[in-house]
Amino acid sequence: MIMASRSHEQLDILFVSEHALHPVDQGFSIRGSNMVKAMDAMGVRVAVASEQPLPAQASDEIRRLYLDWPEVDDDQTDKFLKGWQGPGYRARLRIADYQGRDLERFAGVISLVEKHQPKTVIGLGQHSTMMLRALKPYTGIRKVWYAADELMYFQLSCMRREGLSTLSKRLQMLALYGGLETFFVRGMDGAIGVAPQEAKLLKYLAGAKKTTCIRNGVDTGYFAPPRVRPVNKQLVFWGRMDFEPNIDAVTWFSQHVWPQLHAKHPDAVLKVVGKNPTEAIQSLDRMDGIEIVGAVPDIRPYVNDSSATVLPMRCGGGIKNKLLEAAAMGIPIVGSPKAVLGLEARDGKLPVLTCKTTDQWITTLGNLWSDTLQSEKLSIELRLWVLSHHSWPNAARQMLQWLDRLPCAEGHCVRHTPLAYVHATQSSVHKEAA
């Protein structure tokens, strides 16, 4: 429950989501929870609400910033659907029905907006676009989709590696996501991608009026290097193992790289950590040296016990949170070119080892295991790089500055960035320069 003192507070920014921001193990929950906390620390009047309730296991820090989702009456449902009216109204209804979305529950966003009068409403997750569209009549409020990835490009990236057997399914998904973007996103005040390419696609494919790139951050206090990293040949991959890009990456690596790598290094071990492993992923546990760990309460012990993380990504978009977490923990990263797209280089160079072919993977990992000095150097460089480019306070400041420049339907909206924070930031910059 949110504290009573905030129950009627007027907000600068309201984040809304269909799903709760706990557990913090998916892109929308990682971005949403960290961005809300960073903005709150800056003095922004910010809160978050989700149609699904926050679980009891959620931290007190995020619970303090959470609003209960309101009960909905017929008047709010009518207002919600009124925002959907205009060209494409029936298509919007069909898409919502096809995806099984509960519009009567979604209509709670109307009560939240009328009660807290935010300057901006930011949607998290693909179905938050349905809520944002319903707010179209509220012209003094900016409506922004924190998309991260452009939906159609995500599907197209997966199509490139498949045969004709999955073409029909992919075309159905492209049609669905194209409909979501055309009938809910097109004409929205703004959309945010986590990589430059995603930001461009959100403008030219999804049709948002203004877009920007705000790269993901990482909690560098929580994800910190160990005092001593063991010298071994253990590799680790982590993430949700029912997520298509993760399934594809681990399957490809296990089939094309691991047999030859393990033959050369019989003491090598690959641990795959993450909840909901599919049957295909679980079957890899039968291979010599591969252990499918499954869900764990804390990924850090598995990372700290490993010599490197592998990111053989072949599809998907955006920035990989697992890469930033690995960098913050100072573990060497060996990845595909796809895994490092959208990242900002430090002094013109990313401290990540990249591989395109099977032979490159085998050679690079073998050299890393035999060269402890290279491993230690990469560990230091990764930590310095992520501290410089991927903190959540920096990401939150970039978002606030962009929102302050973003016009709304009335031509001008009130700024978000607290002046006290602006002055404090400028003072800090001057001190650092000195």
Side-chain angles (χ1 to χ4, degrees), residues 295-333:
V296 296
D298 189 349
I299 185 63
R300 293 173 297 177
Y302 294 89
V303 179
N304 290 334
D305 285 344
S306 301
S307 59
T309 184
V310 289
L311 296 176
M313 316 307 294
R314 299 197 304 160
C315 65
I319 288 179
K320 309 297 177 281
N321 289 301
K322 61 177 70 67
L323 187 150
L324 300 182
E325 293 162 1
M329 288 185 276
I331 179 172
I333 300 168

Side-chain angles (χ1 to χ4, degrees), residues 21-293:
L21 302 192
H22 187 90
V24 188
D25 62 353
Q26 297 185 59
F28 81 93
S29 59
I30 292 171
R31 290 186 297 274
S33 59
N34 283 287
M35 194 65 81
V36 168
K37 290 186 289 187
M39 288 184 175
D40 176 67
M42 296 173 182
V44 178
R45 296 175 300 176
V46 61
V48 60
S50 59
E51 187 269 322
Q52 294 183 3
L54 192 65
Q57 299 89 340
S59 69
D60 292 339
E61 188 177 11
I62 192 64
R63 191 171 297 280
R64 180 179 63 82
L65 300 169
Y66 233 80
L67 295 168
D68 290 329
W69 196 259
E71 295 296 325
V72 178
D73 58 29
D74 291 341
D75 179 60
Q76 290 151 1
T77 302
D78 290 342
K79 288 182 178 179
F80 184 91
L81 292 176
K82 183 179 179 181
W84 281 23
Q85 290 179 1
Y89 175 70
R90 292 189 180 278
R92 283 185 273 275
L93 290 176
R94 285 196 296 269
I95 291 171
D97 181 64
Y98 177 79
Q99 294 210 287
R101 310 281 50 98
D102 187 347
L103 301 187
E104 290 187 358
R105 288 290 298 162
F106 277 17
V109 73
I110 301 296
S111 291
L112 289 168
V113 165
E114 292 184 345
K115 184 176 183 179
H116 296 282
Q117 301 176 28
K119 302 167 187 174
T120 294
V121 178
I122 298 177
L124 300 165
Q126 63 177 268
H127 294 123
S128 67
T129 59
M130 297 183 179
M131 303 181 199
L132 296 174
R133 169 70 198 201
L135 301 178
K136 189 175 181 180
Y138 296 82
T139 56
I141 298 174
R142 301 178 184 90
K143 279 77 71 176
V144 175
W145 183 31
Y146 198 171
D149 304 339
E150 197 280 326
L151 300 176
M152 289 188 289
Y153 175 75
F154 180 94
Q155 291 296 319
L156 289 169
S157 74
C158 295
M159 285 180 67
R160 294 172 183 167
R161 59 181 174 78
E162 296 173 338
L164 294 176
S165 61
T166 62
L167 182 60
S168 176
K169 177 184 175 182
R170 288 292 176 200
L171 291 176
Q172 289 179 5
M173 296 303 295
L174 279 171
L176 172 62
Y177 290 142
L180 276 169
E181 294 185 349
T182 298
F183 296 110
F184 291 99
V185 180
R186 190 161 299 279
M188 194 177 293
D189 295 323
I192 299 170
V194 296
Q197 183 182 20
E198 304 292 342
K200 291 179 181 178
L201 291 170
L202 286 166
K203 181 175 182 179
Y204 295 112
L205 290 183
K209 291 180 181 178
K210 299 287 185 180
T211 63
T212 191
C213 166
I214 298 177
R215 292 178 173 87
N216 288 350
V218 63
D219 186 340
T220 54
Y222 183 82
F223 294 104
R227 291 185 177 180
V228 179
R229 188 173 300 283
V231 178
N232 59 29
K233 294 182 181 180
Q234 178 172 301
L235 304 175
V236 63
F237 180 98
W238 69 95
R240 281 188 53 179
M241 294 316 303
D242 57 356
F243 183 50
E244 185 174 3
N246 291 343
I247 297 170
D248 176 75
V250 170
T251 302
W252 179 86
F253 186 84
S254 300
Q255 294 176 349
H256 292 84
V257 177
W258 188 253
Q260 297 179 59
L261 182 66
H262 194 258
K264 287 190 173 184
H265 305 274
D267 53 341
V269 176
L270 169 63
K271 293 195 175 186
V272 180
V273 187
K275 69 179 185 180
N276 303 332
T278 63
E279 289 185 10
I281 292 297
Q282 292 181 43
S283 69
L284 300 176
D285 199 65
R286 296 193 293 266
M287 297 180 67
D288 289 343
I290 296 181
E291 179 182 350
I292 307 301
V293 178

Side-chain angles (χ1 to χ4, degrees), residues 118-120 138-143 189 209 402-416:
K119 302 167 187 174
T120 294
Y138 296 82
T139 56
I141 298 174
R142 301 178 184 90
K143 279 77 71 176
D189 295 323
K209 291 180 181 178
W402 179 71
L403 290 173
D404 285 342
R405 299 190 301 269
L406 189 67
C408 59
E410 292 183 345
H412 176 72
C413 292
V414 184
R415 65 180 292 115
H416 298 77

